[in-house]
Amino acid sequence: TVTVNNGDFEITAATGAELNITNYSDVYDAEEHSIGVTNVIDGDTVYYSLTNNGTDWSTTKPMFTEVTPGTTVYVKVTNKNYADRTGSGTVTITPAPVTITVNNASKVFGEDDPEFTGTVVGLIGSDSIGTVSYSRVGNDEEVGTYEDVLTASYTNNPNYTVTVNNGDFEITAATGAE
């Protein structure tokens, strides 16, 4: 009489390849950016979260366009044949530089100030820093050259760091009566 006691056979999840998560860090360019995830194998499902609480995982990779000061993106990879793998990466987008150069201007003593002008360089696409207004600091009216008194005002846009190169203003002598 032979009695066969069957044994159990278990297949456990293998350890998958270690995730390679690359951070993204660069200057604002109005394009979408995110972390990179590599060493993903067939059958993997990659989940992303902006919190590390494990309740808001999504297969949609979060993309960032605006300036972001070091946002952590959490990653979880599942596969029925491999143990879950987790990690995180950081997305940092810093403000792009914009330069406003105020043109030098002049007027003849006794006349009204001219309309002040300048140029804006560095905005991307249709981005804006609002209406740029050029003005003179101070109300000097004597003949002379006044350095760096022509300036610009604008609306703050967090995607840009704005530098204003002030202009000079000259008041020249009026011609005397004949």
Side-chain angles (χ1 to χ4, degrees), residues 39-74:
N39 286 354
V40 177
I41 56 178
D42 285 340
D44 279 352
T45 302
V46 181
Y47 295 96
Y48 303 92
S49 176
L50 295 178
T51 61
N52 199 17
N53 63 13
T55 61
D56 64 344
W57 295 104
S58 170
T59 56
T60 303
K61 182 190 290 190
M63 301 300 288
F64 302 87
T65 304
E66 306 295 317
V67 166
T68 180
T71 300
T72 301
V73 178
Y74 298 93

mmCIF file of all heavy atoms in Angstrom, residues 39-74:
data_model
loop_
_atom_site.group_PDB
_atom_site.id
_atom_site.type_symbol
_atom_site.label_atom_id
_atom_site.label_comp_id
_atom_site.label_asym_id
_atom_site.label_seq_id
_atom_site.Cartn_x
_atom_site.Cartn_y
_atom_site.Cartn_z
ATOM 1 N N ASN A 39 14.564 50.934 -16.751
ATOM 2 C CA ASN A 39 14.655 49.567 -16.220
ATOM 3 C C ASN A 39 13.267 49.007 -15.970
ATOM 4 O O ASN A 39 13.055 48.206 -15.066
ATOM 5 C CB ASN A 39 15.495 49.466 -14.944
ATOM 6 C CG ASN A 39 16.974 49.605 -15.236
ATOM 7 O OD1 ASN A 39 17.366 49.665 -16.392
ATOM 8 N ND2 ASN A 39 17.780 49.632 -14.206
ATOM 9 N N VAL A 40 12.310 49.408 -16.786
ATOM 10 C CA VAL A 40 10.960 48.875 -16.734
ATOM 11 C C VAL A 40 10.947 47.651 -17.653
ATOM 12 O O VAL A 40 11.493 47.694 -18.753
ATOM 13 C CB VAL A 40 9.935 49.937 -17.185
ATOM 14 C CG1 VAL A 40 8.539 49.379 -17.214
ATOM 15 C CG2 VAL A 40 10.006 51.153 -16.261
ATOM 16 N N ILE A 41 10.331 46.567 -17.207
ATOM 17 C CA ILE A 41 10.334 45.325 -17.984
ATOM 18 C C ILE A 41 8.919 44.986 -18.452
ATOM 19 O O ILE A 41 7.935 45.559 -17.971
ATOM 20 C CB ILE A 41 10.929 44.166 -17.159
ATOM 21 C CG1 ILE A 41 10.188 43.997 -15.838
ATOM 22 C CG2 ILE A 41 12.403 44.377 -16.906
ATOM 23 C CD1 ILE A 41 10.677 42.847 -14.982
ATOM 24 N N ASP A 42 8.819 44.041 -19.385
ATOM 25 C CA ASP A 42 7.507 43.624 -19.897
ATOM 26 C C ASP A 42 6.589 43.222 -18.752
ATOM 27 O O ASP A 42 6.986 42.487 -17.851
ATOM 28 C CB ASP A 42 7.658 42.441 -20.858
ATOM 29 C CG ASP A 42 8.205 42.855 -22.211
ATOM 30 O OD1 ASP A 42 8.118 44.052 -22.546
ATOM 31 O OD2 ASP A 42 8.727 41.977 -22.933
ATOM 32 N N GLY A 43 5.375 43.699 -18.816
ATOM 33 C CA GLY A 43 4.399 43.373 -17.785
ATOM 34 C C GLY A 43 4.360 44.366 -16.636
ATOM 35 O O GLY A 43 3.474 44.283 -15.793
ATOM 36 N N ASP A 44 5.309 45.292 -16.582
ATOM 37 C CA ASP A 44 5.311 46.293 -15.515
ATOM 38 C C ASP A 44 4.198 47.315 -15.722
ATOM 39 O O ASP A 44 3.894 47.700 -16.854
ATOM 40 C CB ASP A 44 6.641 47.067 -15.481
ATOM 41 C CG ASP A 44 7.754 46.319 -14.767
ATOM 42 O OD1 ASP A 44 7.480 45.274 -14.163
ATOM 43 O OD2 ASP A 44 8.903 46.810 -14.813
ATOM 44 N N THR A 45 3.615 47.734 -14.630
ATOM 45 C CA THR A 45 2.709 48.874 -14.635
ATOM 46 C C THR A 45 3.347 49.923 -13.745
ATOM 47 O O THR A 45 3.667 49.644 -12.584
ATOM 48 C CB THR A 45 1.314 48.501 -14.100
ATOM 49 O OG1 THR A 45 0.773 47.445 -14.906
ATOM 50 C CG2 THR A 45 0.377 49.699 -14.155
ATOM 51 N N VAL A 46 3.560 51.110 -14.296
ATOM 52 C CA VAL A 46 4.215 52.190 -13.559
ATOM 53 C C VAL A 46 3.146 53.141 -13.036
ATOM 54 O O VAL A 46 2.304 53.628 -13.795
ATOM 55 C CB VAL A 46 5.224 52.944 -14.457
ATOM 56 C CG1 VAL A 46 5.923 54.040 -13.667
ATOM 57 C CG2 VAL A 46 6.233 51.984 -15.062
ATOM 58 N N TYR A 47 3.203 53.382 -11.731
ATOM 59 C CA TYR A 47 2.284 54.310 -11.076
ATOM 60 C C TYR A 47 3.073 55.499 -10.546
ATOM 61 O O TYR A 47 4.222 55.355 -10.133
ATOM 62 C CB TYR A 47 1.580 53.627 -9.901
ATOM 63 C CG TYR A 47 0.668 52.497 -10.306
ATOM 64 C CD1 TYR A 47 1.125 51.185 -10.281
ATOM 65 C CD2 TYR A 47 -0.637 52.737 -10.699
ATOM 66 C CE1 TYR A 47 0.292 50.129 -10.647
ATOM 67 C CE2 TYR A 47 -1.482 51.696 -11.068
ATOM 68 C CZ TYR A 47 -1.006 50.396 -11.038
ATOM 69 O OH TYR A 47 -1.825 49.365 -11.399
ATOM 70 N N TYR A 48 2.394 56.661 -10.525
ATOM 71 C CA TYR A 48 3.014 57.906 -10.061
ATOM 72 C C TYR A 48 2.124 58.541 -9.007
ATOM 73 O O TYR A 48 0.903 58.401 -9.038
ATOM 74 C CB TYR A 48 3.176 58.893 -11.220
ATOM 75 C CG TYR A 48 3.969 58.345 -12.368
ATOM 76 C CD1 TYR A 48 3.334 57.699 -13.429
ATOM 77 C CD2 TYR A 48 5.351 58.466 -12.402
ATOM 78 C CE1 TYR A 48 4.067 57.190 -14.490
ATOM 79 C CE2 TYR A 48 6.093 57.965 -13.460
ATOM 80 C CZ TYR A 48 5.440 57.322 -14.499
ATOM 81 O OH TYR A 48 6.166 56.811 -15.547
ATOM 82 N N SER A 49 2.752 59.282 -8.115
ATOM 83 C CA SER A 49 2.011 60.004 -7.089
ATOM 84 C C SER A 49 2.808 61.241 -6.691
ATOM 85 O O SER A 49 4.039 61.233 -6.725
ATOM 86 C CB SER A 49 1.789 59.116 -5.863
ATOM 87 O OG SER A 49 1.158 59.852 -4.831
ATOM 88 N N LEU A 50 2.101 62.280 -6.291
ATOM 89 C CA LEU A 50 2.762 63.481 -5.773
ATOM 90 C C LEU A 50 2.772 63.490 -4.243
ATOM 91 O O LEU A 50 3.284 64.418 -3.640
ATOM 92 C CB LEU A 50 2.093 64.749 -6.322
ATOM 93 C CG LEU A 50 2.221 64.924 -7.836
ATOM 94 C CD1 LEU A 50 1.487 66.173 -8.301
ATOM 95 C CD2 LEU A 50 3.673 64.967 -8.260
ATOM 96 N N THR A 51 2.180 62.461 -3.662
ATOM 97 C CA THR A 51 2.236 62.295 -2.207
ATOM 98 C C THR A 51 2.727 60.883 -1.919
ATOM 99 O O THR A 51 2.570 59.986 -2.733
ATOM 100 C CB THR A 51 0.855 62.507 -1.543
ATOM 101 O OG1 THR A 51 -0.045 61.531 -2.052
ATOM 102 C CG2 THR A 51 0.328 63.913 -1.798
ATOM 103 N N ASN A 52 3.286 60.696 -0.779
ATOM 104 C CA ASN A 52 3.840 59.387 -0.439
ATOM 105 C C ASN A 52 2.913 58.625 0.503
ATOM 106 O O ASN A 52 3.346 57.834 1.312
ATOM 107 C CB ASN A 52 5.226 59.548 0.192
ATOM 108 C CG ASN A 52 6.024 58.263 0.146
ATOM 109 O OD1 ASN A 52 5.706 57.345 -0.597
ATOM 110 N ND2 ASN A 52 7.050 58.189 0.958
ATOM 111 N N ASN A 53 1.589 58.884 0.381
ATOM 112 C CA ASN A 53 0.647 58.232 1.297
ATOM 113 C C ASN A 53 0.042 56.956 0.722
ATOM 114 O O ASN A 53 -0.713 56.271 1.398
ATOM 115 C CB ASN A 53 -0.458 59.209 1.712
ATOM 116 C CG ASN A 53 -1.305 59.654 0.531
ATOM 117 O OD1 ASN A 53 -1.244 59.091 -0.547
ATOM 118 N ND2 ASN A 53 -2.092 60.693 0.740
ATOM 119 N N GLY A 54 0.334 56.639 -0.532
ATOM 120 C CA GLY A 54 -0.119 55.390 -1.120
ATOM 121 C C GLY A 54 -1.576 55.337 -1.516
ATOM 122 O O GLY A 54 -2.089 54.277 -1.830
ATOM 123 N N THR A 55 -2.276 56.473 -1.530
ATOM 124 C CA THR A 55 -3.700 56.435 -1.869
ATOM 125 C C THR A 55 -4.046 57.100 -3.195
ATOM 126 O O THR A 55 -5.167 56.960 -3.659
ATOM 127 C CB THR A 55 -4.534 57.122 -0.766
ATOM 128 O OG1 THR A 55 -4.137 58.488 -0.671
ATOM 129 C CG2 THR A 55 -4.368 56.430 0.572
ATOM 130 N N ASP A 56 -3.126 57.799 -3.795
ATOM 131 C CA ASP A 56 -3.478 58.525 -5.025
ATOM 132 C C ASP A 56 -2.588 58.145 -6.205
ATOM 133 O O ASP A 56 -2.227 58.988 -7.014
ATOM 134 C CB ASP A 56 -3.449 60.034 -4.774
ATOM 135 C CG ASP A 56 -2.068 60.557 -4.418
ATOM 136 O OD1 ASP A 56 -1.195 59.745 -4.077
ATOM 137 O OD2 ASP A 56 -1.865 61.780 -4.493
ATOM 138 N N TRP A 57 -2.248 56.886 -6.334
ATOM 139 C CA TRP A 57 -1.402 56.435 -7.433
ATOM 140 C C TRP A 57 -2.166 56.509 -8.749
ATOM 141 O O TRP A 57 -3.356 56.232 -8.803
ATOM 142 C CB TRP A 57 -0.938 55.000 -7.195
ATOM 143 C CG TRP A 57 -0.044 54.847 -6.007
ATOM 144 C CD1 TRP A 57 -0.370 54.334 -4.790
ATOM 145 C CD2 TRP A 57 1.333 55.214 -5.926
ATOM 146 N NE1 TRP A 57 0.715 54.359 -3.949
ATOM 147 C CE2 TRP A 57 1.777 54.896 -4.620
ATOM 148 C CE3 TRP A 57 2.241 55.782 -6.815
ATOM 149 C CZ2 TRP A 57 3.083 55.119 -4.195
ATOM 150 C CZ3 TRP A 57 3.540 56.001 -6.389
ATOM 151 C CH2 TRP A 57 3.951 55.679 -5.096
ATOM 152 N N SER A 58 -1.455 56.881 -9.811
ATOM 153 C CA SER A 58 -2.046 56.981 -11.137
ATOM 154 C C SER A 58 -1.020 56.529 -12.171
ATOM 155 O O SER A 58 0.183 56.719 -11.987
ATOM 156 C CB SER A 58 -2.447 58.434 -11.423
ATOM 157 O OG SER A 58 -2.818 58.584 -12.783
ATOM 158 N N THR A 59 -1.498 55.955 -13.259
ATOM 159 C CA THR A 59 -0.581 55.558 -14.332
ATOM 160 C C THR A 59 -0.224 56.747 -15.223
ATOM 161 O O THR A 59 0.605 56.616 -16.109
ATOM 162 C CB THR A 59 -1.190 54.435 -15.195
ATOM 163 O OG1 THR A 59 -2.454 54.871 -15.699
ATOM 164 C CG2 THR A 59 -1.341 53.151 -14.384
ATOM 165 N N THR A 60 -0.835 57.881 -14.973
ATOM 166 C CA THR A 60 -0.519 59.085 -15.738
ATOM 167 C C THR A 60 0.660 59.800 -15.091
ATOM 168 O O THR A 60 0.586 60.205 -13.933
ATOM 169 C CB THR A 60 -1.735 60.036 -15.801
ATOM 170 O OG1 THR A 60 -2.837 59.328 -16.369
ATOM 171 C CG2 THR A 60 -1.418 61.268 -16.618
ATOM 172 N N LYS A 61 1.744 59.933 -15.855
ATOM 173 C CA LYS A 61 2.936 60.603 -15.331
ATOM 174 C C LYS A 61 2.640 62.091 -15.173
ATOM 175 O O LYS A 61 2.168 62.739 -16.111
ATOM 176 C CB LYS A 61 4.109 60.425 -16.284
ATOM 177 C CG LYS A 61 5.406 61.056 -15.763
ATOM 178 C CD LYS A 61 6.510 61.099 -16.806
ATOM 179 C CE LYS A 61 7.056 59.745 -17.114
ATOM 180 N NZ LYS A 61 8.290 59.825 -17.945
ATOM 181 N N PRO A 62 2.890 62.670 -13.990
ATOM 182 C CA PRO A 62 2.665 64.109 -13.817
ATOM 183 C C PRO A 62 3.693 64.909 -14.623
ATOM 184 O O PRO A 62 4.882 64.609 -14.594
ATOM 185 C CB PRO A 62 2.830 64.330 -12.313
ATOM 186 C CG PRO A 62 3.627 63.170 -11.826
ATOM 187 C CD PRO A 62 3.381 62.037 -12.765
ATOM 188 N N MET A 63 3.188 65.874 -15.350
ATOM 189 C CA MET A 63 4.037 66.723 -16.181
ATOM 190 C C MET A 63 4.001 68.141 -15.621
ATOM 191 O O MET A 63 2.969 68.596 -15.122
ATOM 192 C CB MET A 63 3.545 66.706 -17.631
ATOM 193 C CG MET A 63 3.519 65.311 -18.249
ATOM 194 S SD MET A 63 5.115 64.489 -18.291
ATOM 195 C CE MET A 63 5.935 65.408 -19.554
ATOM 196 N N PHE A 64 5.121 68.816 -15.736
ATOM 197 C CA PHE A 64 5.258 70.159 -15.184
ATOM 198 C C PHE A 64 5.720 71.110 -16.270
ATOM 199 O O PHE A 64 6.674 70.823 -16.989
ATOM 200 C CB PHE A 64 6.266 70.158 -14.027
ATOM 201 C CG PHE A 64 5.881 69.222 -12.919
ATOM 202 C CD1 PHE A 64 6.252 67.892 -12.948
ATOM 203 C CD2 PHE A 64 5.118 69.681 -11.864
ATOM 204 C CE1 PHE A 64 5.884 67.029 -11.934
ATOM 205 C CE2 PHE A 64 4.741 68.824 -10.839
ATOM 206 C CZ PHE A 64 5.124 67.495 -10.875
ATOM 207 N N THR A 65 5.040 72.243 -16.367
ATOM 208 C CA THR A 65 5.393 73.271 -17.338
ATOM 209 C C THR A 65 5.889 74.523 -16.625
ATOM 210 O O THR A 65 6.853 75.135 -17.035
ATOM 211 C CB THR A 65 4.174 73.640 -18.211
ATOM 212 O OG1 THR A 65 3.690 72.454 -18.827
ATOM 213 C CG2 THR A 65 4.554 74.643 -19.289
ATOM 214 N N GLU A 66 5.205 74.887 -15.559
ATOM 215 C CA GLU A 66 5.519 76.116 -14.832
ATOM 216 C C GLU A 66 6.715 75.896 -13.901
ATOM 217 O O GLU A 66 7.097 74.770 -13.619
ATOM 218 C CB GLU A 66 4.306 76.550 -14.000
ATOM 219 C CG GLU A 66 3.009 76.685 -14.794
ATOM 220 C CD GLU A 66 3.043 77.780 -15.833
ATOM 221 O OE1 GLU A 66 3.554 78.873 -15.527
ATOM 222 O OE2 GLU A 66 2.554 77.550 -16.951
ATOM 223 N N VAL A 67 7.253 77.004 -13.403
ATOM 224 C CA VAL A 67 8.351 76.930 -12.442
ATOM 225 C C VAL A 67 7.892 76.115 -11.236
ATOM 226 O O VAL A 67 6.797 76.318 -10.712
ATOM 227 C CB VAL A 67 8.790 78.346 -12.007
ATOM 228 C CG1 VAL A 67 9.677 78.301 -10.778
ATOM 229 C CG2 VAL A 67 9.513 79.035 -13.158
ATOM 230 N N THR A 68 8.706 75.158 -10.851
ATOM 231 C CA THR A 68 8.410 74.315 -9.691
ATOM 232 C C THR A 68 9.693 74.115 -8.900
ATOM 233 O O THR A 68 10.707 73.697 -9.449
ATOM 234 C CB THR A 68 7.771 72.963 -10.102
ATOM 235 O OG1 THR A 68 7.514 72.204 -8.935
ATOM 236 C CG2 THR A 68 8.632 72.183 -11.037
ATOM 237 N N PRO A 69 9.671 74.449 -7.616
ATOM 238 C CA PRO A 69 10.900 74.413 -6.813
ATOM 239 C C PRO A 69 11.180 73.059 -6.168
ATOM 240 O O PRO A 69 11.148 72.921 -4.955
ATOM 241 C CB PRO A 69 10.640 75.480 -5.758
ATOM 242 C CG PRO A 69 9.154 75.411 -5.550
ATOM 243 C CD PRO A 69 8.570 75.065 -6.904
ATOM 244 N N GLY A 70 11.428 72.044 -6.958
ATOM 245 C CA GLY A 70 11.784 70.743 -6.395
ATOM 246 C C GLY A 70 10.591 69.942 -5.939
ATOM 247 O O GLY A 70 10.436 69.670 -4.758
ATOM 248 N N THR A 71 9.746 69.531 -6.868
ATOM 249 C CA THR A 71 8.578 68.723 -6.547
ATOM 250 C C THR A 71 8.944 67.242 -6.643
ATOM 251 O O THR A 71 9.480 66.797 -7.656
ATOM 252 C CB THR A 71 7.420 69.044 -7.512
ATOM 253 O OG1 THR A 71 7.088 70.429 -7.374
ATOM 254 C CG2 THR A 71 6.203 68.197 -7.209
ATOM 255 N N THR A 72 8.654 66.491 -5.594
ATOM 256 C CA THR A 72 8.965 65.060 -5.577
ATOM 257 C C THR A 72 7.845 64.277 -6.253
ATOM 258 O O THR A 72 6.664 64.492 -5.975
ATOM 259 C CB THR A 72 9.146 64.560 -4.130
ATOM 260 O OG1 THR A 72 10.208 65.295 -3.531
ATOM 261 C CG2 THR A 72 9.486 63.076 -4.095
ATOM 262 N N VAL A 73 8.244 63.379 -7.147
ATOM 263 C CA VAL A 73 7.312 62.463 -7.806
ATOM 264 C C VAL A 73 7.669 61.054 -7.323
ATOM 265 O O VAL A 73 8.799 60.605 -7.499
ATOM 266 C CB VAL A 73 7.415 62.550 -9.343
ATOM 267 C CG1 VAL A 73 6.477 61.545 -10.001
ATOM 268 C CG2 VAL A 73 7.122 63.964 -9.835
ATOM 269 N N TYR A 74 6.696 60.396 -6.713
ATOM 270 C CA TYR A 74 6.905 59.036 -6.207
ATOM 271 C C TYR A 74 6.512 58.041 -7.296
ATOM 272 O O TYR A 74 5.572 58.272 -8.054
ATOM 273 C CB TYR A 74 6.077 58.799 -4.940
ATOM 274 C CG TYR A 74 6.488 59.734 -3.832
ATOM 275 C CD1 TYR A 74 5.837 60.945 -3.639
ATOM 276 C CD2 TYR A 74 7.559 59.428 -3.010
ATOM 277 C CE1 TYR A 74 6.229 61.823 -2.641
ATOM 278 C CE2 TYR A 74 7.962 60.295 -1.998
ATOM 279 C CZ TYR A 74 7.287 61.491 -1.831
ATOM 280 O OH TYR A 74 7.693 62.358 -0.850
#
